[in-house]
Amino acid sequence: MKKSLLLWAGLLGLSPTLHAQTGSRQAAGQAVSADTPYATDFAEAYRRYPAIPRGVLEAVAYTQTHIRHLGPTEQASCTGMPLAAGVMGLIADGKGYFRENLGLVARLADVNADLIQTSPRAHILAYAAAYARLATEQKLTAADPARHLPVLLALSELPLAKDAVSTFTLDSHLYSVLTFLNKAENQQRYGFPDYHLDLQRIFGANYQVLSSGTAQVSERQVRGEGQTFDPNSSTYARVASSDYGPAITDLTTCNYSSRGGVAVTHYAIHTVQGTYASCISWFKNCSAQVSAHYVVRSSDGQVTQMVSEANKAWHIGSENPYTIGTEHEGYVDDASWYTTAMYNSSAALARDICASGYGISGLRTFYGAATTGTFSTGACVKIKGHQHFPNQTHTDPGVNWNWEKFYTLINNAPTVTTLTAATGTVYDAGGASANYPDDVRQCQLIAPTGATSVSLTFSSFDVESGYDHLLVYDGANNQAPLIGKYSGTASPGTLTASSGKMFLELRSDCATTRPGFAATWSSAGGGSASCPTDSYEANETLATGKAIGVNVNNTAYVCPAADVDWYRFSSSTTNNNIKVTLTTLPADYDLELYDAGGTLLYSSTSASTTAETIVYNGAPAATYYVKVYGYNGATSSSAYTLRVSTQSVAWSSSAAIASRLNASTPEQPVVTITNPVQAGTKAWLTVTGYDGPADIVLRDSRGLPVGASTHAEIVSEQPLGYLLPANLSPSVYIVTLQLRTHVEYVKLLVQ
């Protein structure tokens, strides 16, 4: 696809607040990345207090607040748990349970506590001063963060005790901090070194429980991955000297009661307004008078069970008797806490509850727009937010929770009827003459053989207004760009899918049916050549990815349209610098690199048939997955070439540029951006081979700018974070960068 056409394919608006790179320097000459609002303050703290290992302050801040200043207007937690304050997430009033570490920091740093709560800079510097004082007293140096665990525990708000629950929460806090330090993308983004922390050695056998989502914990013991959690060998102990199978069972001894014979009929989604470890600890506090059945961790989706489903947890006031409730780590005003891992894990928990005999159907999951307020959906919707139940004042999970995504993950295996004729007629689940029934999820894929476009014209349309909906997508499934969501009696008219495939999804609630719809489709572009034999098929998913060797060429096909190819390979500790190239492209194909857990690491999405390249220097020895797919359903019966190359020395930027541009113009900058992303989260933009100013303009599908132009200072190969608006519709957009001499374009897929 030509860049001039790509420009009008649909563009994404960015937040008007853009944090550019700074000129501050670290001791080793590394640039301090300013893609967080407080990079300058963190840099100043490290200069003042050299005993603090670089990266530790950001690691604590990310664990506690995702590096966001929590002010006095922050929404209170529906659990009654004390709210943290500032960038480092300190507690001023522990309500007789949490340690009041804000006061401790103020005393150690000799700074007024009120100033710490109101000024982000004073907050960061005070925490750093307190940290440095404790580190100096213990004769610790910045070279080995693993020896700093006593300082991290001393400055935590979590209660100090040697029982199983307290030691587990303390270890969970430390695990989050050290995991942050171990991630290569954080080392690059925040400019700190790789300390090569051996988490298995640090946490011992307890590491299996801390890192696993399939552990079991009772009042007397904790088991995970075949290991027993030992409170006596927990980090704090050394320093101081179930209903849902995958969950850690950490049942509270209080803060619950009998359901009194009331049946479970609903499931409530909450946001903690705090951290995972703090929430677990708070629910163990018998004075809190609050609890939930489950808590989910943001970073990896680990689930801890606090109350048996047979008992009534105290999480939603008058609606407690008939509900199961789950708290999600994070804050309602910060979408970054709602990670893919959290959504996937929480949806798996919801599917288990649906299958547990309560009569809760996944089809009764709320999928409307996320909002900031409270409103009751009525009893028909069974899986919904705290804010959707009657008699509530709390508004979690709030405007940043993606209900449509959650609905799709819970109902992750729909039956799909595929229609391959060039023309035909489709009806709702009631057929040509009857009303559609209640509790329907009808999925139909119109995919005429070889079609380049599909048009659908409605002859009748009547679905229950505001409660039942028809969703239409331009592509092979409900992850494709949404054409529209229709309800009521107004006809959608004629809809066109430019991908050559159109996906229809009808959803109905528990009451009131209507005549539904009838529509006739036609297609264009049929009669394309059949697909050649591909020796790697079937490899449409990560789980079915085919093994390939390194430093060899592999040829295959993206065919038919919307075909996706997955491959897997392994790197070694010696040859730990990876370059993945996609060449001889017959169409606009894109490239992505994932870790074994399914997390997207890098993507390459150049326009048209430009070669795609991903470079990952210093990659840990592990199994990785490569995904090759056609942009917007692009396909061809001609082969592409995929090559994974590894070597012991880092791949140079010039080599990457030359490869990305097919060695034609190695001086031209290369622009990449993380794909796919979610509305309301950050997209990370990287420009290789260019340093200097850039004006960023975003355009909608008509080519019109969305928002004002944004100015940034680009540093080559330094990721620049953009916070995306929360109200974007799923689609493909283009980010345009006006550099000194020309404009660069990069595609962005919002899901």
Side-chain angles (χ1 to χ4, degrees):
M1 182 175 296
K2 296 183 181 299
K3 288 183 179 178
S4 60
L5 297 179
L6 271 177
L7 180 61
W8 312 114
L11 296 114
L12 175 60
L14 302 181
S15 168
T17 301
L18 179 64
H19 304 290
Q21 308 290 340
T22 71
S24 302
R25 297 283 164 178
Q26 294 186 2
Q30 296 174 301
V32 177
S33 175
D35 47 37
T36 71
Y38 309 108
T40 302
D41 300 326
F42 285 124
E44 181 180 353
Y46 291 126
R47 288 195 299 271
R48 287 192 185 189
Y49 308 108
I52 305 175
R54 291 186 180 274
V56 165
L57 297 178
E58 291 92 337
V60 173
Y62 189 85
T63 296
Q64 296 296 100
T65 70
H66 276 202
I67 317 183
R68 186 170 68 93
H69 182 74
L70 303 180
T73 61
E74 195 72 30
Q75 184 178 143
S77 171
C78 65
T79 68
M81 190 174 73
L83 273 175
V87 181
M88 310 305 291
L90 304 178
I91 296 292
D93 177 7
K95 295 188 178 181
Y97 182 74
F98 285 116
R99 292 185 294 148
E100 296 174 350
N101 54 349
L102 188 143
L104 174 64
V105 166
R107 291 191 297 273
L108 291 174
D110 194 21
V111 176
N112 182 274
D114 291 337
L115 179 62
I116 294 176
Q117 293 187 79
T118 56
S119 167
R121 178 176 178 275
H123 186 97
I124 292 170
L125 293 178
Y127 183 92
Y131 189 109
R133 179 172 175 178
L134 295 178
T136 301
E137 289 175 354
Q138 298 184 45
K139 296 181 171 57
L140 301 175
T141 67
D144 187 6
R147 297 188 61 193
H148 286 240
L149 302 188
V151 178
L152 292 170
L153 288 177
L155 294 179
S156 168
E157 81 283 2
L158 298 171
L160 301 178
K162 292 186 180 180
D163 62 90
V165 175
S166 295
T167 54
F168 171 71
T169 57
L170 288 164
D171 270 12
S172 182
H173 171 71
L174 296 176
Y175 173 82
S176 295
V177 172
L178 298 187
T179 299
F180 180 95
L181 292 175
N182 256 7
K183 290 185 177 180
E185 58 266 34
N186 292 336
Q187 295 161 15
Q188 179 185 23
R189 185 174 302 163
Y190 300 102
F192 60 87
D194 184 357
Y195 296 106
H196 302 287
L197 298 172
D198 186 344
L199 300 189
Q200 295 192 43
R201 180 186 63 79
I202 292 170
F203 294 107
N206 291 338
Y207 172 81
Q208 301 296 338
V209 176
L210 294 166
S211 62
S212 173
T214 58
Q216 295 292 328
V217 182
S218 67
E219 283 300 311
R220 297 181 181 273
Q221 77 171 11
V222 180
R223 290 186 61 80
E225 300 290 344
Q227 302 290 329
T228 300
F229 185 92
D230 182 7
N232 293 320
S233 65
S234 70
T235 306
Y236 170 62
R238 294 199 309 270
V239 170
S241 268
S242 111
D243 288 312
Y244 178 52
I248 296 172
T249 304
D250 194 358
L251 301 178
T252 179
T253 58
C254 51
N255 299 332
Y256 70 90
S257 55
S258 169
R259 292 189 184 274
V262 177
V264 171
T265 59
H266 287 72
Y267 179 46
I269 301 298
H270 300 267
T271 301
V272 173
Q273 293 299 94
T275 67
Y276 176 74
S278 295
C279 184
I280 294 170
S281 182
W282 181 246
F283 286 166
K284 300 290 288 190
N285 171 22
C286 293
S287 298
Q289 297 288 290
V290 68
S291 63
H293 292 89
Y294 298 98
V295 186
V296 183
R297 185 160 62 194
S298 171
S299 62
D300 58 2
Q302 187 183 70
V303 178
T304 290
Q305 184 177 7
M306 302 298 297
V307 176
S308 169
E309 290 177 12
N311 290 320
K312 178 174 65 176
W314 301 343
H315 61 107
I316 200 164
S318 60
E319 316 310 299
N320 285 329
Y322 63 90
T323 55
I324 294 171
T326 294
E327 290 282 353
H328 294 76
E329 180 183 31
Y331 294 85
V332 296
D333 291 334
D334 187 350
S336 67
W337 291 91
Y338 299 146
T339 62
T340 297
M342 172 177 278
Y343 278 118
N344 289 339
S345 178
S346 184
L349 170 59
R351 290 195 301 270
D352 183 85
I353 290 172
C354 290
S356 295
Y358 300 119
I360 299 175
S361 169
L363 297 178
R364 301 281 190 91
T365 303
F366 180 76
Y367 61 88
T371 64
T372 56
T374 62
F375 67 93
S376 176
T377 63
C380 194
V381 181
K382 303 292 188 181
I383 301 175
K384 53 190 176 181
H386 187 164
Q387 64 194 117
H388 299 142
F389 283 84
N391 308 312
Q392 303 304 309
T393 58
H394 289 279
T395 62
D396 54 308
V399 72
N400 290 308
W401 183 263
N402 189 333
W403 285 108
E404 174 61 31
K405 177 174 183 174
F406 195 52
Y407 175 98
T408 302
L409 289 171
I410 292 174
N411 302 287
N412 63 340
T415 299
V416 179
T417 300
T418 301
L419 308 167
T420 58
T423 61
T425 301
V426 289
Y427 301 97
D428 60 84
S433 58
N435 286 9
Y436 58 80
D438 293 326
D439 289 325
V440 160
R441 189 186 186 199
Q442 177 194 27
C443 297
Q444 302 177 88
L445 172 61
I446 303 172
T449 303
T452 56
S453 68
V454 173
S455 294
L456 185 67
T457 300
F458 287 82
S459 57
S460 64
F461 190 85
D462 185 352
V463 302
E464 185 187 9
S465 180
Y467 293 94
D468 301 339
H469 297 85
L470 175 67
L471 295 90
V472 183
Y473 301 87
D474 186 354
N477 52 44
N478 57 10
Q479 299 304 303
L482 179 68
I483 295 175
K485 180 179 178 181
Y486 307 99
S487 185
T489 58
S491 173
T494 297
L495 307 176
T496 300
S498 59
S499 66
K501 290 180 170 62
M502 183 179 288
F503 190 85
L504 310 179
E505 182 176 345
L506 174 66
R507 301 177 187 173
S508 68
D509 66 359
C510 65
T512 308
T513 66
R514 300 294 297 171
F517 63 86
T520 301
W521 84 83
S522 60
S523 60
S528 62
S530 61
C531 296
T533 301
D534 190 333
S535 59
Y536 296 100
E537 297 290 348
N539 62 337
E540 279 75 29
T541 65
L542 181 145
T544 60
K546 294 301 175 68
I548 57 174
V550 298
N551 300 318
V552 295
N553 290 341
N554 306 273
T555 59
Y557 308 88
V558 174
C559 192
D563 180 31
V564 175
D565 293 340
W566 286 86
Y567 305 90
R568 71 177 188 273
F569 69 92
S570 298
S571 67
S572 66
T573 54
T574 302
N575 295 315
N576 65 336
N577 300 291
I578 300 170
K579 181 169 71 173
V580 185
T581 57
L582 193 63
T583 56
T584 64
L585 300 183
D588 186 2
Y589 294 169
D590 292 331
L591 182 66
E592 295 176 352
L593 180 67
Y594 292 76
D595 66 15
T599 299
L600 177 65
L601 301 175
Y602 298 98
S603 65
S604 179
T605 57
S606 299
S608 188
T609 56
T610 302
E612 307 288 354
T613 297
I614 291 173
V615 172
Y616 185 8
N617 288 322
T623 297
Y624 296 91
Y625 288 81
V626 175
K627 178 182 177 182
V628 179
Y629 61 98
Y631 166 70
N632 203 24
T635 184
S636 175
S637 58
S638 297
Y640 64 81
T641 301
L642 174 70
R643 182 182 181 91
V644 177
S645 303
T646 63
Q647 61 185 28
S648 58
V649 297
W651 296 96
S652 66
S653 299
S654 60
I657 295 171
S659 179
R660 286 292 303 275
L661 297 176
N662 208 18
S664 59
T665 54
E667 299 82 7
Q668 183 175 344
V670 174
V671 181
T672 59
I673 200 165
T674 50
N675 271 304
V677 294
Q678 299 171 17
T681 64
K682 276 188 177 181
W684 294 97
L685 181 72
T686 303
V687 182
T688 301
Y690 177 83
D691 291 278
D695 290 311
I696 302 172
V697 180
L698 307 160
R699 301 180 182 274
D700 62 19
S701 59
R702 298 167 296 172
L704 300 177
V706 178
S709 173
T710 303
H711 182 76
E713 288 296 324
I714 301 296
V715 176
S716 179
E717 300 188 34
Q718 290 288 330
L720 189 64
Y722 295 88
L723 180 63
L724 309 181
N727 60 350
L728 288 173
S729 300
S731 187
V732 177
Y733 299 86
I734 299 297
V735 180
T736 68
L737 289 87
Q738 175 65 64
L739 307 181
R740 289 192 186 94
T741 58
H742 67 289
V743 178
E744 289 285 335
Y745 309 94
V746 61
K747 291 182 295 187
L748 183 63
L749 174 61
V750 177
Q751 292 187 339

